Amino acid sequence: QVQLVESGGGLVQPGESLRLSCAASGLPFSSYAMGWFRQPPGKEREFVAAISWGGGYTYYADSVKGRFTISRDNAKNIVYLQIDSLKPDDTAGYYCAVGGTTAEVRTTPKFWGQGTLVTVSS
């Protein structure tokens, strides 16, 4: 049974940083690309970032380039999303996703986590 569990969200002020984590189980973690989506309140879910199975290739949405960094630790079956210089517009539920490739993560993810909420407010 595939399970993705996100953590690390919370209430932060603009300009602060967070590192979100997604712990995966029930799948050969190192053989799959991983990624993150987010869904702001009242808006549709949007792609954020993806990383290849070996971590050598990353892809980011234009809206987060330069501030967001995706990484993975295959030994721990964890994918991370480092978010720097948080803005109020970053407020959203953040969801972990799995795909065969980074392109598949972006377009047709196979599995989802339950999400972790990031709230950016002064």
Side-chain angles (χ1 to χ4, degrees), residues 3-121:
Q3 186 174 19
L4 305 174
V5 180
E6 300 96 331
S7 61
L11 175 63
V12 296
Q13 294 184 336
E16 295 183 345
S17 298
L18 283 175
R19 189 178 73 163
L20 309 182
S21 299
C22 172
S25 62
L27 78 166
F29 181 78
S30 62
S31 297
Y32 285 87
M34 304 290 295
W36 290 90
F37 287 71
R38 68 182 182 182
Q39 187 168 16
K43 298 182 179 180
E44 295 183 351
R45 185 176 296 179
E46 63 179 345
F47 171 77
V48 173
I51 186 168
S52 62
W53 62 268
Y57 175 81
T58 57
Y59 182 84
Y60 298 92
D62 289 341
S63 60
V64 304
K65 286 181 179 177
R67 297 190 300 114
F68 285 39
T69 303
I70 188 171
S71 62
R72 66 191 298 165
D73 186 339
N74 287 349
K76 297 181 178 180
N77 289 5
I78 297 176
V79 61
Y80 302 98
L81 185 67
Q82 176 72 31
I83 311 176
D84 297 323
S85 301
L86 279 155
K87 303 176 180 179
D89 287 348
D90 294 324
T91 296
Y94 284 75
Y95 299 85
C96 183
V98 178
T101 66
T102 55
E104 291 183 1
V105 169
R106 188 176 70 254
T107 59
T108 56
K110 294 180 172 61
F111 306 104
W112 298 92
Q114 84 291 340
T116 185
L117 179 63
V118 174
T119 302
V120 185
S121 177

